[in-house]
Amino acid sequence: MLKPRPTPTREQSSLNGLWSFCIDSRAGEQPWNAPLPGPLEAAVPASFNDQFIDPAIRDHVGWVYYQREVQVPRGWVGDRVLLRFDAVTHEAVVYADGERVGAHVGGYTPFDVDLTEHVTPGRTFRLTVAVNNQLTNETIPPGTVHETENGVRKQKYLHDFYNYAGIPRSVYLHSIPTSHVDDVTVTTRRQGTTGLVDYRVETTGSGRVTVALRDEDGAEVASLEGDHGTLGVPEARLWQPGAAYLYELDVQLHQEGRVVDHYTVPIGIRTVEVRGNEFLINGEPFYFKGFGKHEDSAVRGKGHDDAYLVHDTQLLEWINANSFRTSHYPYAEEVLEYADRHGIVVIDETAAVGLNLGVEGGLAGRPTTPSFSAETFNDATQAAYAQHVRELIARDKNHPSVVMWCLANEPASNEEGAREFFAPIVDLARELDPTRPLTYAVVMFANVGNDRIVDLFDVISLNRYYGWYVFSGDLDSAETYLRRDISSWVDAYDKPVMMTEYGADTQPGAHSIWDAPWTEEYQSALLAMHHRVFDEFPQFVGEQIWNFADFQTSNGIHRVEGNKKGIFTRDRKPKAAAHELRRRWRAFGDRK
Ligand code: GCB
């Protein structure tokens, strides 16, 4: 799925800004047939929840409506007119002047709605988007809705971040020519110092396809004719962690000697490979230093914000991190484009978080019902999951920053049915992208003895909370158990092992000279203990702390205004541990 981009044959107009807004109980019947009632407006892109002070809106469960007038540029006669939603969380139905023109399920991947037959260039139309924020056992991520004794609908979910919803990413009206480039897939290899760029172009409408590759100075370094082939780049500049280099693949579709469509894809020439217990980028061992993150900030919730993107990346550079995981869902595509340009390494995670009835809101419990069954996570859940993986890989396959897919966070990989549930998803991911390694984040109570799926994956990624949820305040015992746990994986598998989560909730300003949970000293001491242990294992390929910044969660007695495991506060101020990490990761240099 190609991101809309203005090119000589394509135009776009942003629909970001203020839209009329209304929740279903106040909207009346079929609100898409008329202007929405009431004075509310909501900003796009942003989650709607925290924009409003009314708790009935913030915690609303069900449908909400967004609406605005849209002007179709008069010059688009003869082109296809599309609407692009970069994300609508979690389900969308789209209406143009009251007519249903499209729908999509899945809150973190983009979709297009073709309006060509429904709108007229030069005229306006009323665009209404119905947005449903409900999670069920058949959505990704899953959840359940129930009604209180007082008749209030409540959304419950198993993941530990607030169920922000709405239109959190950009919306565009865009035009593409009738005959056009539908998709471009690029993979890269190396032969000595020559970079090989394998490409495949899909088109609608017949015609001649030409491709040209340009370097950062705009000089053409290779070109070919045909909808697939391999471009050779002598003395190729590689895309490297910390030293990005991007070429531009210029794709043109010609008919009768005329260029009818033109599209450009930034690409990086690099290889990724797992060999034994090493993770190799461009044939060199790579060690992940970084964080699990969230798309999360005050007021805008999960809304994408370029200023936070720039600032967060500055902080990653300041702290000497080289990577992050898009926990626990695909992030806005702008984030990956930025990582491509700035040499940041990304583990791209699906929204499959919470496929585990043994965990709730970050806490482990004892599952009363099996996670995988007809009533819980079933064939329909698996189908939604497969569709999500298809959409994620379609969107992100060409980003050089993405070096690995993380297919799930803390699934019930220890339960019966896990293998049947996940094996087809693993096969699908490998078929869609044979070039990138696969991993999933292993929950604390899935161990070498009871995990049923780890052999299907390439990298073992552990989420462990020694010193926090277990041995809280007892770092001595925590260290013993952590060492034993890592040893058990390292001994059992000839695969790279990394830590994708470890950390401690920390209230900035709380201090102690003893090992006291919640203090800044305790967070530092817990991390130092982990690092001591990691450094004993040559098979270890990375450390990603939970979390980059504090973030909002659902209510719970173990959460104080959300999860406080950030190394930075929610407004991105460093806690004491940030300075120590900065020193550790600076000293690391190119250790591996
Ligand atoms: C986890 C989850 C993460 C939580 C974290 C915690 O294992 O993967 O989403 O936020 O624990 O802090 O409890």
PDB file of all heavy atoms in Angstrom, residues 453-474:
ATOM      1  N   ILE A 453       5.910 -22.049  21.322  1.00  0.00           N
ATOM      2  CA  ILE A 453       6.053 -21.500  19.958  1.00  0.00           C
ATOM      3  C   ILE A 453       7.427 -20.930  19.638  1.00  0.00           C
ATOM      4  O   ILE A 453       7.682 -20.568  18.495  1.00  0.00           O
ATOM      5  CB  ILE A 453       4.974 -20.419  19.682  1.00  0.00           C
ATOM      6  CG1 ILE A 453       5.107 -19.228  20.660  1.00  0.00           C
ATOM      7  CG2 ILE A 453       3.582 -21.009  19.734  1.00  0.00           C
ATOM      8  CD1 ILE A 453       4.193 -18.053  20.294  1.00  0.00           C
ATOM      9  N   VAL A 454       8.307 -20.843  20.614  1.00  0.00           N
ATOM     10  CA  VAL A 454       9.533 -20.062  20.403  1.00  0.00           C
ATOM     11  C   VAL A 454      10.379 -20.596  19.240  1.00  0.00           C
ATOM     12  O   VAL A 454      11.036 -19.836  18.532  1.00  0.00           O
ATOM     13  CB  VAL A 454      10.347 -19.954  21.714  1.00  0.00           C
ATOM     14  CG1 VAL A 454      11.024 -21.252  22.074  1.00  0.00           C
ATOM     15  CG2 VAL A 454      11.358 -18.819  21.640  1.00  0.00           C
ATOM     16  N   ASP A 455      10.311 -21.899  19.002  1.00  0.00           N
ATOM     17  CA  ASP A 455      11.118 -22.474  17.907  1.00  0.00           C
ATOM     18  C   ASP A 455      10.673 -21.984  16.534  1.00  0.00           C
ATOM     19  O   ASP A 455      11.411 -22.101  15.561  1.00  0.00           O
ATOM     20  CB  ASP A 455      11.046 -24.010  17.962  1.00  0.00           C
ATOM     21  CG  ASP A 455       9.613 -24.495  17.831  1.00  0.00           C
ATOM     22  OD1 ASP A 455       8.789 -24.170  18.707  1.00  0.00           O
ATOM     23  OD2 ASP A 455       9.297 -25.169  16.831  1.00  0.00           O
ATOM     24  N   LEU A 456       9.459 -21.424  16.435  1.00  0.00           N
ATOM     25  CA  LEU A 456       8.975 -20.918  15.150  1.00  0.00           C
ATOM     26  C   LEU A 456       9.625 -19.592  14.774  1.00  0.00           C
ATOM     27  O   LEU A 456       9.525 -19.132  13.649  1.00  0.00           O
ATOM     28  CB  LEU A 456       7.450 -20.699  15.203  1.00  0.00           C
ATOM     29  CG  LEU A 456       6.579 -21.906  15.562  1.00  0.00           C
ATOM     30  CD1 LEU A 456       5.127 -21.465  15.763  1.00  0.00           C
ATOM     31  CD2 LEU A 456       6.661 -22.961  14.459  1.00  0.00           C
ATOM     32  N   PHE A 457      10.275 -18.949  15.749  1.00  0.00           N
ATOM     33  CA  PHE A 457      10.772 -17.580  15.561  1.00  0.00           C
ATOM     34  C   PHE A 457      12.301 -17.555  15.485  1.00  0.00           C
ATOM     35  O   PHE A 457      12.975 -18.536  15.806  1.00  0.00           O
ATOM     36  CB  PHE A 457      10.285 -16.702  16.717  1.00  0.00           C
ATOM     37  CG  PHE A 457       8.796 -16.486  16.704  1.00  0.00           C
ATOM     38  CD1 PHE A 457       7.930 -17.454  17.199  1.00  0.00           C
ATOM     39  CD2 PHE A 457       8.267 -15.322  16.179  1.00  0.00           C
ATOM     40  CE1 PHE A 457       6.553 -17.258  17.180  1.00  0.00           C
ATOM     41  CE2 PHE A 457       6.888 -15.114  16.152  1.00  0.00           C
ATOM     42  CZ  PHE A 457       6.033 -16.085  16.654  1.00  0.00           C
ATOM     43  N   ASP A 458      12.854 -16.392  15.088  1.00  0.00           N
ATOM     44  CA  ASP A 458      14.298 -16.277  14.872  1.00  0.00           C
ATOM     45  C   ASP A 458      15.042 -15.696  16.067  1.00  0.00           C
ATOM     46  O   ASP A 458      16.210 -16.012  16.285  1.00  0.00           O
ATOM     47  CB  ASP A 458      14.564 -15.373  13.661  1.00  0.00           C
ATOM     48  CG  ASP A 458      13.807 -15.860  12.441  1.00  0.00           C
ATOM     49  OD1 ASP A 458      14.086 -16.983  12.002  1.00  0.00           O
ATOM     50  OD2 ASP A 458      12.905 -15.144  11.963  1.00  0.00           O
ATOM     51  N   VAL A 459      14.384 -14.794  16.786  1.00  0.00           N
ATOM     52  CA  VAL A 459      15.042 -14.113  17.902  1.00  0.00           C
ATOM     53  C   VAL A 459      14.171 -14.300  19.148  1.00  0.00           C
ATOM     54  O   VAL A 459      12.951 -14.196  19.073  1.00  0.00           O
ATOM     55  CB  VAL A 459      15.215 -12.600  17.598  1.00  0.00           C
ATOM     56  CG1 VAL A 459      15.746 -11.846  18.805  1.00  0.00           C
ATOM     57  CG2 VAL A 459      16.142 -12.403  16.396  1.00  0.00           C
ATOM     58  N   ILE A 460      14.816 -14.598  20.271  1.00  0.00           N
ATOM     59  CA  ILE A 460      14.079 -14.764  21.533  1.00  0.00           C
ATOM     60  C   ILE A 460      14.084 -13.424  22.263  1.00  0.00           C
ATOM     61  O   ILE A 460      15.142 -12.909  22.641  1.00  0.00           O
ATOM     62  CB  ILE A 460      14.729 -15.864  22.395  1.00  0.00           C
ATOM     63  CG1 ILE A 460      14.726 -17.190  21.629  1.00  0.00           C
ATOM     64  CG2 ILE A 460      14.007 -15.988  23.743  1.00  0.00           C
ATOM     65  CD1 ILE A 460      15.462 -18.327  22.330  1.00  0.00           C
ATOM     66  N   SER A 461      12.901 -12.835  22.404  1.00  0.00           N
ATOM     67  CA  SER A 461      12.778 -11.522  23.047  1.00  0.00           C
ATOM     68  C   SER A 461      12.046 -11.707  24.376  1.00  0.00           C
ATOM     69  O   SER A 461      10.895 -12.138  24.389  1.00  0.00           O
ATOM     70  CB  SER A 461      11.981 -10.575  22.155  1.00  0.00           C
ATOM     71  OG  SER A 461      12.640 -10.407  20.918  1.00  0.00           O
ATOM     72  N   LEU A 462      12.704 -11.372  25.458  1.00  0.00           N
ATOM     73  CA  LEU A 462      12.127 -11.626  26.784  1.00  0.00           C
ATOM     74  C   LEU A 462      11.601 -10.339  27.420  1.00  0.00           C
ATOM     75  O   LEU A 462      12.282  -9.312  27.411  1.00  0.00           O
ATOM     76  CB  LEU A 462      13.194 -12.236  27.705  1.00  0.00           C
ATOM     77  CG  LEU A 462      13.853 -13.535  27.211  1.00  0.00           C
ATOM     78  CD1 LEU A 462      14.971 -13.953  28.172  1.00  0.00           C
ATOM     79  CD2 LEU A 462      12.817 -14.654  27.089  1.00  0.00           C
ATOM     80  N   ASN A 463      10.384 -10.422  27.955  1.00  0.00           N
ATOM     81  CA  ASN A 463       9.861  -9.357  28.819  1.00  0.00           C
ATOM     82  C   ASN A 463       9.928  -9.890  30.249  1.00  0.00           C
ATOM     83  O   ASN A 463       9.261 -10.884  30.574  1.00  0.00           O
ATOM     84  CB  ASN A 463       8.390  -9.057  28.489  1.00  0.00           C
ATOM     85  CG  ASN A 463       8.223  -8.319  27.170  1.00  0.00           C
ATOM     86  OD1 ASN A 463       9.191  -8.078  26.464  1.00  0.00           O
ATOM     87  ND2 ASN A 463       6.991  -7.961  26.851  1.00  0.00           N
ATOM     88  N   ARG A 464      10.733  -9.272  31.089  1.00  0.00           N
ATOM     89  CA  ARG A 464      10.932  -9.805  32.435  1.00  0.00           C
ATOM     90  C   ARG A 464      10.906  -8.686  33.466  1.00  0.00           C
ATOM     91  O   ARG A 464      11.483  -7.615  33.227  1.00  0.00           O
ATOM     92  CB  ARG A 464      12.290 -10.530  32.532  1.00  0.00           C
ATOM     93  CG  ARG A 464      12.367 -11.817  31.668  1.00  0.00           C
ATOM     94  CD  ARG A 464      11.384 -12.857  32.167  1.00  0.00           C
ATOM     95  NE  ARG A 464      11.464 -14.156  31.546  1.00  0.00           N
ATOM     96  CZ  ARG A 464      10.650 -14.589  30.569  1.00  0.00           C
ATOM     97  NH1 ARG A 464       9.741 -13.797  30.055  1.00  0.00           N
ATOM     98  NH2 ARG A 464      10.742 -15.815  30.103  1.00  0.00           N
ATOM     99  N   TYR A 465      10.285  -8.932  34.596  1.00  0.00           N
ATOM    100  CA  TYR A 465      10.168  -7.905  35.637  1.00  0.00           C
ATOM    101  C   TYR A 465      10.727  -8.356  36.977  1.00  0.00           C
ATOM    102  O   TYR A 465      10.105  -8.166  38.008  1.00  0.00           O
ATOM    103  CB  TYR A 465       8.708  -7.422  35.722  1.00  0.00           C
ATOM    104  CG  TYR A 465       8.393  -6.533  34.536  1.00  0.00           C
ATOM    105  CD1 TYR A 465       7.808  -7.042  33.382  1.00  0.00           C
ATOM    106  CD2 TYR A 465       8.772  -5.194  34.539  1.00  0.00           C
ATOM    107  CE1 TYR A 465       7.585  -6.238  32.276  1.00  0.00           C
ATOM    108  CE2 TYR A 465       8.552  -4.376  33.444  1.00  0.00           C
ATOM    109  CZ  TYR A 465       7.966  -4.906  32.311  1.00  0.00           C
ATOM    110  OH  TYR A 465       7.757  -4.100  31.218  1.00  0.00           O
ATOM    111  N   TYR A 466      11.931  -8.940  36.942  1.00  0.00           N
ATOM    112  CA  TYR A 466      12.608  -9.300  38.192  1.00  0.00           C
ATOM    113  C   TYR A 466      12.989  -8.021  38.927  1.00  0.00           C
ATOM    114  O   TYR A 466      13.570  -7.105  38.350  1.00  0.00           O
ATOM    115  CB  TYR A 466      13.868 -10.125  37.892  1.00  0.00           C
ATOM    116  CG  TYR A 466      13.543 -11.475  37.302  1.00  0.00           C
ATOM    117  CD1 TYR A 466      13.808 -11.763  35.972  1.00  0.00           C
ATOM    118  CD2 TYR A 466      12.929 -12.460  38.093  1.00  0.00           C
ATOM    119  CE1 TYR A 466      13.501 -12.997  35.433  1.00  0.00           C
ATOM    120  CE2 TYR A 466      12.611 -13.695  37.559  1.00  0.00           C
ATOM    121  CZ  TYR A 466      12.896 -13.960  36.227  1.00  0.00           C
ATOM    122  OH  TYR A 466      12.566 -15.173  35.700  1.00  0.00           O
ATOM    123  N   GLY A 467      12.622  -7.967  40.188  1.00  0.00           N
ATOM    124  CA  GLY A 467      12.897  -6.754  40.970  1.00  0.00           C
ATOM    125  C   GLY A 467      11.712  -5.802  40.967  1.00  0.00           C
ATOM    126  O   GLY A 467      11.705  -4.818  41.689  1.00  0.00           O
ATOM    127  N   TRP A 468      10.694  -6.134  40.133  1.00  0.00           N
ATOM    128  CA  TRP A 468       9.489  -5.287  40.176  1.00  0.00           C
ATOM    129  C   TRP A 468       8.261  -6.123  40.545  1.00  0.00           C
ATOM    130  O   TRP A 468       7.874  -6.151  41.703  1.00  0.00           O
ATOM    131  CB  TRP A 468       9.273  -4.523  38.852  1.00  0.00           C
ATOM    132  CG  TRP A 468       8.156  -3.545  39.043  1.00  0.00           C
ATOM    133  CD1 TRP A 468       6.903  -3.618  38.541  1.00  0.00           C
ATOM    134  CD2 TRP A 468       8.187  -2.385  39.883  1.00  0.00           C
ATOM    135  NE1 TRP A 468       6.131  -2.579  39.016  1.00  0.00           N
ATOM    136  CE2 TRP A 468       6.902  -1.801  39.827  1.00  0.00           C
ATOM    137  CE3 TRP A 468       9.167  -1.782  40.683  1.00  0.00           C
ATOM    138  CZ2 TRP A 468       6.575  -0.647  40.554  1.00  0.00           C
ATOM    139  CZ3 TRP A 468       8.840  -0.624  41.392  1.00  0.00           C
ATOM    140  CH2 TRP A 468       7.566  -0.073  41.315  1.00  0.00           C
ATOM    141  N   TYR A 469       7.696  -6.864  39.576  1.00  0.00           N
ATOM    142  CA  TYR A 469       6.508  -7.665  39.916  1.00  0.00           C
ATOM    143  C   TYR A 469       6.885  -8.880  40.756  1.00  0.00           C
ATOM    144  O   TYR A 469       6.062  -9.397  41.508  1.00  0.00           O
ATOM    145  CB  TYR A 469       5.756  -8.105  38.663  1.00  0.00           C
ATOM    146  CG  TYR A 469       5.140  -6.946  37.910  1.00  0.00           C
ATOM    147  CD1 TYR A 469       5.454  -6.700  36.589  1.00  0.00           C
ATOM    148  CD2 TYR A 469       4.243  -6.087  38.547  1.00  0.00           C
ATOM    149  CE1 TYR A 469       4.891  -5.636  35.904  1.00  0.00           C
ATOM    150  CE2 TYR A 469       3.681  -5.015  37.879  1.00  0.00           C
ATOM    151  CZ  TYR A 469       4.018  -4.791  36.559  1.00  0.00           C
ATOM    152  OH  TYR A 469       3.470  -3.727  35.894  1.00  0.00           O
ATOM    153  N   VAL A 470       8.097  -9.378  40.555  1.00  0.00           N
ATOM    154  CA  VAL A 470       8.575 -10.442  41.450  1.00  0.00           C
ATOM    155  C   VAL A 470       9.865  -9.965  42.106  1.00  0.00           C
ATOM    156  O   VAL A 470      10.656  -9.260  41.478  1.00  0.00           O
ATOM    157  CB  VAL A 470       8.798 -11.784  40.709  1.00  0.00           C
ATOM    158  CG1 VAL A 470       7.481 -12.370  40.229  1.00  0.00           C
ATOM    159  CG2 VAL A 470       9.750 -11.643  39.541  1.00  0.00           C
ATOM    160  N   PHE A 471      10.057 -10.349  43.343  1.00  0.00           N
ATOM    161  CA  PHE A 471      11.195  -9.864  44.154  1.00  0.00           C
ATOM    162  C   PHE A 471      11.239  -8.344  44.174  1.00  0.00           C
ATOM    163  O   PHE A 471      12.296  -7.736  44.021  1.00  0.00           O
ATOM    164  CB  PHE A 471      12.523 -10.447  43.643  1.00  0.00           C
ATOM    165  CG  PHE A 471      12.526 -11.942  43.608  1.00  0.00           C
ATOM    166  CD1 PHE A 471      12.593 -12.625  42.410  1.00  0.00           C
ATOM    167  CD2 PHE A 471      12.431 -12.675  44.795  1.00  0.00           C
ATOM    168  CE1 PHE A 471      12.561 -14.007  42.382  1.00  0.00           C
ATOM    169  CE2 PHE A 471      12.402 -14.056  44.768  1.00  0.00           C
ATOM    170  CZ  PHE A 471      12.464 -14.723  43.566  1.00  0.00           C
ATOM    171  N   SER A 472      10.081  -7.759  44.393  1.00  0.00           N
ATOM    172  CA  SER A 472      10.007  -6.308  44.472  1.00  0.00           C
ATOM    173  C   SER A 472      10.829  -5.828  45.658  1.00  0.00           C
ATOM    174  O   SER A 472      10.583  -6.239  46.792  1.00  0.00           O
ATOM    175  CB  SER A 472       8.532  -5.946  44.639  1.00  0.00           C
ATOM    176  OG  SER A 472       8.402  -4.582  44.676  1.00  0.00           O
ATOM    177  N   GLY A 473      11.816  -4.990  45.402  1.00  0.00           N
ATOM    178  CA  GLY A 473      12.655  -4.471  46.487  1.00  0.00           C
ATOM    179  C   GLY A 473      13.783  -5.407  46.899  1.00  0.00           C
ATOM    180  O   GLY A 473      14.567  -5.070  47.782  1.00  0.00           O
ATOM    181  N   ASP A 474      13.870  -6.588  46.264  1.00  0.00           N
ATOM    182  CA  ASP A 474      14.924  -7.547  46.611  1.00  0.00           C
ATOM    183  C   ASP A 474      15.763  -7.822  45.351  1.00  0.00           C
ATOM    184  O   ASP A 474      15.578  -8.822  44.657  1.00  0.00           O
ATOM    185  CB  ASP A 474      14.271  -8.833  47.140  1.00  0.00           C
ATOM    186  CG  ASP A 474      15.299  -9.926  47.431  1.00  0.00           C
ATOM    187  OD1 ASP A 474      16.521  -9.672  47.278  1.00  0.00           O
ATOM    188  OD2 ASP A 474      14.870 -11.045  47.773  1.00  0.00           O
TER     189      ASP A 474
END
